[in-house]
Amino acid sequence: MLHQLNQERIVFAIAVVLFVVFSMTLNGFWQPSNLLSLVQNVSILGILGIGMALAIIGRGIDLSMVSTMGMSVAWMLTLYNNGMPISLAFLLALGFAALVGIVNGILIAYVEIPAIFATLAMGIVVYGFGKSILVPIDAVYIDDVSGWLFLLGSGRVLDVPMPVIVFAVIGLLAYLFLRYLKPGRFIYGMGDNPLTARITGIPTRPMMVVQYVLISVIALIAGIVMATAVSGMNTRVALSTMVYDVILVVVLGGIGLSGGKGGIRNVVVGTLLIGILLNGMTIMNLTYTMQNILKSVILLAAIVVDTLLNPRDEQTAQHGDI
Protein backbone atom coordinates (compact mmCIF):
# COMPACT_ATOMS: atom_id res chain seq x y z
CA MET A 1 0.00 0.00 0.00
CA LEU A 2 2.78 2.44 0.94
CA HIS A 3 4.54 1.80 -2.35
CA GLN A 4 1.42 2.97 -4.22
CA LEU A 5 1.33 6.36 -2.50
CA ASN A 6 2.46 9.31 -4.56
CA GLN A 7 4.28 11.65 -2.22
CA GLU A 8 4.49 14.36 -4.86
CA ARG A 9 0.70 14.56 -5.28
CA ILE A 10 0.08 14.48 -1.54
CA VAL A 11 2.52 17.33 -0.93
CA PHE A 12 1.04 19.39 -3.77
CA ALA A 13 -2.47 18.93 -2.34
CA ILE A 14 -1.25 20.03 1.09
CA ALA A 15 0.38 23.12 -0.48
CA VAL A 16 -2.90 24.09 -2.17
CA VAL A 17 -4.88 23.60 1.05
CA LEU A 18 -2.37 25.66 3.05
CA PHE A 19 -2.48 28.47 0.50
CA VAL A 20 -6.29 28.61 0.65
CA VAL A 21 -6.39 28.44 4.46
CA PHE A 22 -3.71 31.13 4.88
CA SER A 23 -5.46 33.36 2.34
CA MET A 24 -8.68 33.15 4.35
CA THR A 25 -7.28 33.37 7.87
CA LEU A 26 -4.07 35.43 7.85
CA ASN A 27 -4.21 39.20 7.50
CA GLY A 28 -1.90 40.35 4.76
CA PHE A 29 -1.18 36.96 3.22
CA TRP A 30 -3.19 37.78 0.12
CA GLN A 31 -1.62 41.23 -0.26
CA PRO A 32 0.33 41.68 -3.53
CA SER A 33 3.46 42.79 -1.64
CA ASN A 34 3.43 39.62 0.47
CA LEU A 35 2.77 37.37 -2.52
CA LEU A 36 5.68 39.05 -4.32
CA SER A 37 7.92 38.36 -1.32
CA LEU A 38 6.64 34.78 -1.22
CA VAL A 39 7.38 34.27 -4.91
CA GLN A 40 10.91 35.67 -4.60
CA ASN A 41 11.77 33.57 -1.54
CA VAL A 42 10.26 30.45 -3.11
CA SER A 43 12.29 31.00 -6.27
CA ILE A 44 15.60 31.32 -4.41
CA LEU A 45 14.84 28.25 -2.32
CA GLY A 46 13.80 26.38 -5.46
CA ILE A 47 17.00 27.20 -7.34
CA LEU A 48 19.06 25.93 -4.41
CA GLY A 49 16.77 22.90 -4.26
CA ILE A 50 17.60 22.05 -7.86
CA GLY A 51 21.29 22.02 -6.98
CA MET A 52 20.70 19.85 -3.93
CA ALA A 53 18.55 17.51 -6.04
CA LEU A 54 21.50 16.91 -8.38
CA ALA A 55 23.53 15.84 -5.37
CA ILE A 56 20.92 13.59 -3.77
CA ILE A 57 19.86 11.93 -7.02
CA GLY A 58 23.53 10.99 -7.46
CA ARG A 59 23.57 9.59 -3.91
CA GLY A 60 25.42 12.50 -2.34
CA ILE A 61 24.71 15.75 -0.54
CA ASP A 62 26.19 19.26 -0.49
CA LEU A 63 26.15 21.07 2.84
CA SER A 64 28.55 23.74 1.54
CA MET A 65 26.27 25.25 -1.09
CA VAL A 66 24.86 28.04 1.10
CA SER A 67 28.38 29.06 2.20
CA THR A 68 29.45 29.02 -1.44
CA MET A 69 26.46 31.13 -2.37
CA GLY A 70 26.99 33.71 0.36
CA MET A 71 30.73 34.18 0.07
CA SER A 72 31.03 34.11 -3.73
CA VAL A 73 28.24 36.66 -4.22
CA ALA A 74 29.44 38.89 -1.36
CA TRP A 75 32.92 38.89 -2.93
CA MET A 76 31.44 39.73 -6.32
CA LEU A 77 29.55 42.69 -4.85
CA THR A 78 32.65 43.86 -2.97
CA LEU A 79 34.69 43.85 -6.18
CA TYR A 80 31.91 45.72 -7.97
CA ASN A 81 31.68 48.35 -5.21
CA ASN A 82 35.45 48.83 -5.51
CA GLY A 83 35.13 49.77 -9.18
CA MET A 84 35.54 46.46 -11.00
CA PRO A 85 33.22 45.91 -14.00
CA ILE A 86 30.33 43.66 -13.05
CA SER A 87 31.16 41.17 -15.83
CA LEU A 88 34.70 40.61 -14.52
CA ALA A 89 33.49 40.44 -10.91
CA PHE A 90 30.96 37.81 -11.96
CA LEU A 91 33.61 35.74 -13.74
CA LEU A 92 35.83 35.77 -10.66
CA ALA A 93 32.92 34.74 -8.44
CA LEU A 94 32.07 32.00 -10.94
CA GLY A 95 35.65 30.76 -10.82
CA PHE A 96 35.59 30.75 -7.02
CA ALA A 97 32.33 28.77 -6.94
CA ALA A 98 33.62 26.31 -9.55
CA LEU A 99 36.82 25.81 -7.54
CA VAL A 100 34.77 24.94 -4.45
CA GLY A 101 32.84 22.41 -6.52
CA ILE A 102 36.04 20.88 -7.90
CA VAL A 103 37.52 20.49 -4.42
CA ASN A 104 34.27 18.93 -3.16
CA GLY A 105 34.22 16.51 -6.07
CA ILE A 106 37.86 15.50 -5.63
CA LEU A 107 37.44 14.92 -1.89
CA ILE A 108 34.36 12.76 -2.44
CA ALA A 109 35.34 10.92 -5.63
CA TYR A 110 39.09 10.42 -5.28
CA VAL A 111 39.88 10.79 -1.57
CA GLU A 112 36.61 8.92 -0.87
CA ILE A 113 35.48 11.07 2.02
CA PRO A 114 31.71 10.66 2.54
CA ALA A 115 29.88 13.58 0.93
CA ILE A 116 28.18 14.69 4.13
CA PHE A 117 31.53 15.18 5.91
CA ALA A 118 33.48 16.57 2.94
CA THR A 119 30.90 19.24 2.14
CA LEU A 120 30.28 20.11 5.80
CA ALA A 121 34.00 20.78 6.28
CA MET A 122 34.20 22.61 2.96
CA GLY A 123 31.37 24.91 3.96
CA ILE A 124 33.27 25.90 7.11
CA VAL A 125 36.47 26.43 5.11
CA VAL A 126 34.71 28.58 2.51
CA TYR A 127 33.12 30.78 5.16
CA GLY A 128 36.35 31.13 7.15
CA PHE A 129 38.47 31.87 4.08
CA GLY A 130 35.91 34.32 2.72
CA LYS A 131 35.60 36.23 5.99
CA SER A 132 39.34 36.47 6.56
CA ILE A 133 40.51 37.15 3.00
CA LEU A 134 37.71 38.14 0.62
CA VAL A 135 34.90 39.86 2.55
CA PRO A 136 35.85 41.07 6.05
CA ILE A 137 32.41 42.56 6.81
CA ASP A 138 29.16 40.74 7.51
CA ALA A 139 26.98 42.43 4.91
CA VAL A 140 27.77 43.93 1.51
CA TYR A 141 25.26 46.36 0.01
CA ILE A 142 25.07 47.98 -3.41
CA ASP A 143 23.57 51.32 -4.41
CA ASP A 144 24.05 51.19 -8.17
CA VAL A 145 21.93 48.35 -9.56
CA SER A 146 22.06 49.43 -13.18
CA GLY A 147 24.26 46.55 -14.35
CA TRP A 148 22.75 43.80 -16.50
CA LEU A 149 23.36 41.18 -13.83
CA PHE A 150 21.10 42.96 -11.36
CA LEU A 151 18.07 42.33 -13.55
CA LEU A 152 18.12 38.71 -12.35
CA GLY A 153 16.69 39.74 -9.00
CA SER A 154 14.92 43.02 -9.64
CA GLY A 155 13.75 42.88 -13.26
CA ARG A 156 10.43 41.79 -14.71
CA VAL A 157 9.31 40.23 -17.99
CA LEU A 158 5.63 40.71 -18.86
CA ASP A 159 5.11 41.67 -15.20
CA VAL A 160 6.53 38.33 -14.03
CA PRO A 161 9.36 38.80 -11.47
CA MET A 162 12.74 37.71 -12.80
CA PRO A 163 13.44 35.35 -9.83
CA VAL A 164 10.49 33.24 -10.98
CA ILE A 165 11.78 33.21 -14.54
CA VAL A 166 15.30 32.30 -13.42
CA PHE A 167 13.88 29.44 -11.32
CA ALA A 168 11.86 28.23 -14.31
CA VAL A 169 14.85 28.43 -16.68
CA ILE A 170 17.21 26.65 -14.28
CA GLY A 171 14.54 24.02 -13.64
CA LEU A 172 14.01 23.47 -17.37
CA LEU A 173 17.74 23.21 -18.07
CA ALA A 174 18.21 20.78 -15.16
CA TYR A 175 15.26 18.69 -16.39
CA LEU A 176 16.68 18.49 -19.91
CA PHE A 177 20.15 17.71 -18.51
CA LEU A 178 18.91 14.84 -16.33
CA ARG A 179 16.45 13.48 -18.86
CA TYR A 180 18.22 13.70 -22.21
CA LEU A 181 21.97 14.18 -21.77
CA LYS A 182 24.39 11.37 -21.01
CA PRO A 183 25.94 13.05 -17.94
CA GLY A 184 22.46 13.43 -16.47
CA ARG A 185 21.66 9.76 -17.06
CA PHE A 186 25.04 8.91 -15.54
CA ILE A 187 24.03 10.74 -12.34
CA TYR A 188 20.88 8.62 -12.11
CA GLY A 189 22.96 5.50 -12.72
CA MET A 190 25.48 6.46 -10.04
CA GLY A 191 22.69 7.11 -7.58
CA ASP A 192 20.83 3.90 -8.35
CA ASN A 193 23.85 1.59 -8.08
CA PRO A 194 27.36 3.11 -8.00
CA LEU A 195 29.18 -0.24 -8.32
CA THR A 196 27.19 -1.28 -11.37
CA ALA A 197 27.64 2.19 -12.87
CA ARG A 198 31.40 1.88 -12.57
CA ILE A 199 31.46 -1.66 -13.99
CA THR A 200 29.38 -0.64 -17.01
CA GLY A 201 31.92 2.03 -17.92
CA ILE A 202 30.40 5.20 -16.46
CA PRO A 203 33.28 7.53 -15.42
CA THR A 204 31.91 7.85 -11.90
CA ARG A 205 34.81 9.79 -10.38
CA PRO A 206 34.99 12.55 -13.05
CA MET A 207 31.19 12.69 -13.05
CA MET A 208 31.16 13.37 -9.31
CA VAL A 209 33.47 16.33 -9.88
CA VAL A 210 31.18 17.63 -12.66
CA GLN A 211 28.18 17.07 -10.40
CA TYR A 212 29.54 19.21 -7.56
CA VAL A 213 30.76 21.95 -9.90
CA LEU A 214 27.23 22.23 -11.30
CA ILE A 215 25.83 22.44 -7.78
CA SER A 216 28.22 25.28 -6.85
CA VAL A 217 27.38 27.21 -10.02
CA ILE A 218 23.66 26.85 -9.31
CA ALA A 219 24.29 28.10 -5.76
CA LEU A 220 26.06 31.16 -7.21
CA ILE A 221 23.08 31.90 -9.47
CA ALA A 222 20.68 31.60 -6.53
CA GLY A 223 22.87 33.99 -4.54
CA ILE A 224 22.89 36.55 -7.36
CA VAL A 225 19.09 36.42 -7.53
CA MET A 226 18.87 36.86 -3.75
CA ALA A 227 21.40 39.71 -3.59
CA THR A 228 20.01 41.67 -6.52
CA ALA A 229 16.46 41.36 -5.16
CA VAL A 230 17.41 43.06 -1.87
CA SER A 231 20.49 45.02 -3.06
CA GLY A 232 22.96 43.17 -0.88
CA MET A 233 24.26 39.93 0.59
CA ASN A 234 24.72 39.04 4.25
CA THR A 235 27.57 36.55 4.59
CA ARG A 236 26.08 35.22 7.83
CA VAL A 237 23.58 33.34 5.70
CA ALA A 238 26.31 30.67 5.69
CA LEU A 239 25.69 30.18 9.42
CA SER A 240 21.91 29.98 9.07
CA THR A 241 19.68 26.91 8.78
CA MET A 242 18.98 27.64 5.12
CA VAL A 243 20.78 24.52 3.90
CA TYR A 244 18.34 22.43 5.94
CA ASP A 245 15.43 24.26 4.32
CA VAL A 246 16.90 23.23 0.97
CA ILE A 247 17.20 19.59 2.04
CA LEU A 248 13.64 19.77 3.36
CA VAL A 249 12.39 21.02 -0.01
CA VAL A 250 14.07 18.16 -1.87
CA VAL A 251 13.12 15.32 0.47
CA LEU A 252 9.59 16.58 1.08
CA GLY A 253 9.03 16.83 -2.67
CA GLY A 254 9.71 13.11 -3.02
CA ILE A 255 13.35 12.71 -4.06
CA GLY A 256 14.61 9.61 -2.24
CA LEU A 257 17.72 9.88 -0.09
CA SER A 258 18.82 6.48 -1.36
CA GLY A 259 19.60 8.09 -4.74
CA GLY A 260 18.68 7.40 -8.33
CA LYS A 261 15.07 8.57 -8.02
CA GLY A 262 13.06 11.74 -8.44
CA GLY A 263 13.34 14.79 -10.63
CA ILE A 264 12.91 18.54 -10.94
CA ARG A 265 9.12 18.37 -10.59
CA ASN A 266 9.57 17.02 -7.06
CA VAL A 267 11.68 20.07 -6.21
CA VAL A 268 9.00 22.44 -7.51
CA VAL A 269 6.29 20.77 -5.41
CA GLY A 270 8.42 20.73 -2.25
CA THR A 271 9.40 24.35 -2.80
CA LEU A 272 5.78 25.47 -3.08
CA LEU A 273 4.81 23.83 0.20
CA ILE A 274 7.79 25.06 2.22
CA GLY A 275 7.61 28.56 0.74
CA ILE A 276 3.93 28.90 1.69
CA LEU A 277 4.57 27.43 5.14
CA LEU A 278 7.52 29.74 5.90
CA ASN A 279 5.61 32.79 4.74
CA GLY A 280 2.58 31.86 6.83
CA MET A 281 4.68 31.28 9.94
CA THR A 282 6.34 34.67 9.47
CA ILE A 283 2.97 36.44 9.25
CA MET A 284 1.82 34.59 12.39
CA ASN A 285 4.87 36.08 14.15
CA LEU A 286 6.15 32.70 15.22
CA THR A 287 9.59 32.97 16.76
CA TYR A 288 12.63 31.88 14.82
CA THR A 289 13.12 29.04 17.29
CA MET A 290 9.54 27.81 16.87
CA GLN A 291 9.87 27.95 13.08
CA ASN A 292 13.02 25.84 13.27
CA ILE A 293 11.27 23.31 15.52
CA LEU A 294 8.37 22.97 13.09
CA LYS A 295 10.70 22.66 10.11
CA SER A 296 12.75 20.02 11.95
CA VAL A 297 9.62 17.99 12.71
CA ILE A 298 8.53 18.21 9.06
CA LEU A 299 12.01 17.18 7.86
CA LEU A 300 12.03 14.22 10.23
CA ALA A 301 8.57 13.17 9.05
CA ALA A 302 9.68 13.49 5.43
CA ILE A 303 12.71 11.26 6.08
CA VAL A 304 10.47 8.65 7.76
CA VAL A 305 8.12 8.70 4.77
CA ASP A 306 11.10 8.45 2.41
CA THR A 307 12.37 5.42 4.34
CA LEU A 308 8.96 3.73 4.05
CA LEU A 309 8.49 4.55 0.37
CA ASN A 310 12.12 3.88 -0.61
CA PRO A 311 13.34 1.10 1.71
CA ARG A 312 17.10 0.73 1.82
CA ASP A 313 18.82 -2.50 0.90
CA GLU A 314 22.38 -3.80 0.65
CA GLN A 315 23.11 -1.54 -2.33
CA THR A 316 22.00 1.66 -0.58
CA ALA A 317 24.40 0.92 2.25
CA GLN A 318 27.38 1.51 -0.05
CA HIS A 319 29.67 4.56 0.12
CA GLY A 320 27.98 7.84 -0.68
CA ASP A 321 24.67 7.10 0.97
CA ILE A 322 23.77 9.76 3.54
Side-chain angles (χ1 to χ4, degrees), residues 80-98:
Y80 177 69
N81 287 339
N82 291 336
M84 181 178 290
I86 188 60
S87 299
L88 180 56
F90 167 73
L91 289 177
L92 289 174
L94 179 63
F96 177 77

Side-chain angles (χ1 to χ4, degrees), residues 50 170-181 263-265:
I50 291 171
I170 297 296
L172 177 61
L173 292 176
Y175 169 79
L176 295 175
F177 171 77
L178 290 171
R179 180 86 180 234
Y180 296 107
L181 297 184
I264 302 304
R265 194 170 63 183

Side-chain angles (χ1 to χ4, degrees), residues 1-311:
M1 180 65 179
L2 287 173
H3 292 281
Q4 296 175 353
L5 293 176
N6 189 320
Q7 183 176 339
E8 177 190 331
R9 293 181 180 178
I10 294 172
V11 170
F12 180 73
I14 295 174
V16 172
V17 171
L18 268 183
F19 186 85
V20 173
V21 171
F22 286 168
S23 297
M24 296 173 62
T25 59
L26 295 181
N27 292 328
F29 182 84
W30 188 247
Q31 294 298 320
S33 59
N34 180 66
L35 292 180
L36 177 61
S37 175
L38 170 62
V39 165
Q40 288 179 336
N41 292 335
V42 158
S43 300
I44 295 164
L45 195 59
I47 295 170
L48 289 170
I50 291 171
M52 187 65 76
L54 292 179
I56 293 178
I57 289 173
R59 198 179 294 199
I61 195 168
D62 191 346
L63 300 182
S64 67
M65 65 185 312
V66 174
S67 292
T68 302
M69 174 189 76
M71 298 314 304
S72 60
V73 174
W75 186 41
M76 182 189 78
L77 297 181
T78 299
L79 294 174
Y80 177 69
N81 287 339
N82 291 336
M84 181 178 290
I86 188 60
S87 299
L88 180 56
F90 167 73
L91 289 177
L92 289 174
L94 179 63
F96 177 77
L99 179 61
V100 173
I102 290 172
V103 174
N104 274 335
I106 290 174
L107 291 175
I108 296 165
Y110 294 95
V111 185
E112 298 189 352
I113 299 174
I116 191 169
F117 299 121
T119 58
L120 175 62
M122 195 62 189
I124 297 171
V125 169
V126 168
Y127 179 72
F129 174 79
K131 287 290 293 180
S132 60
I133 304 296
L134 304 179
V135 188
I137 57 178
D138 282 341
V140 181
Y141 297 101
I142 44 176
D143 296 324
D144 180 13
V145 293
S146 58
W148 60 270
L149 200 62
F150 299 113
L151 294 176
L152 291 180
S154 58
R156 286 174 176 265
V157 175
L158 300 177
D159 211 33
V160 178
M162 277 300 294
V164 178
I165 295 175
V166 174
F167 179 28
V169 170
I170 297 296
L172 177 61
L173 292 176
Y175 169 79
L176 295 175
F177 171 77
L178 290 171
R179 180 86 180 234
Y180 296 107
L181 297 184
K182 281 186 178 181
R185 305 310 300 172
F186 287 168
I187 289 176
Y188 273 110
M190 289 158 48
D192 185 54
N193 193 318
L195 295 180
T196 300
R198 183 175 298 179
I199 292 172
T200 55
I202 293 177
T204 56
R205 296 184 194 275
M207 272 307 306
M208 286 183 187
V209 177
V210 171
Q211 180 183 1
Y212 283 92
V213 169
L214 288 176
I215 295 167
S216 292
V217 171
I218 291 173
L220 171 67
I221 295 173
I224 292 173
V225 172
M226 176 188 289
T228 55
V230 298
S231 300
M233 171 61 71
N234 192 327
T235 59
R236 294 184 70 83
V237 69
L239 305 177
S240 71
T241 60
M242 190 173 191
V243 69
Y244 302 111
D245 294 342
V246 177
I247 297 172
L248 178 57
V249 160
V250 175
V251 178
L252 193 62
I255 294 181
L257 289 173
S258 56
K261 300 180 181 69
I264 302 304
R265 194 170 63 183
N266 299 93
V267 177
V268 174
V269 171
T271 300
L272 285 175
L273 176 56
I274 296 305
I276 293 170
L277 182 64
L278 291 176
N279 187 268
M281 290 193 298
T282 301
I283 293 177
M284 287 186 282
N285 289 323
L286 292 183
T287 64
Y288 185 71
T289 301
M290 182 58 67
Q291 290 189 31
N292 282 337
I293 291 174
L294 291 175
K295 288 187 294 184
S296 300
V297 170
I298 294 172
L299 178 57
L300 181 60
I303 293 174
V304 170
V305 172
D306 171 65
T307 302
L308 294 174
L309 295 178
N310 304 294

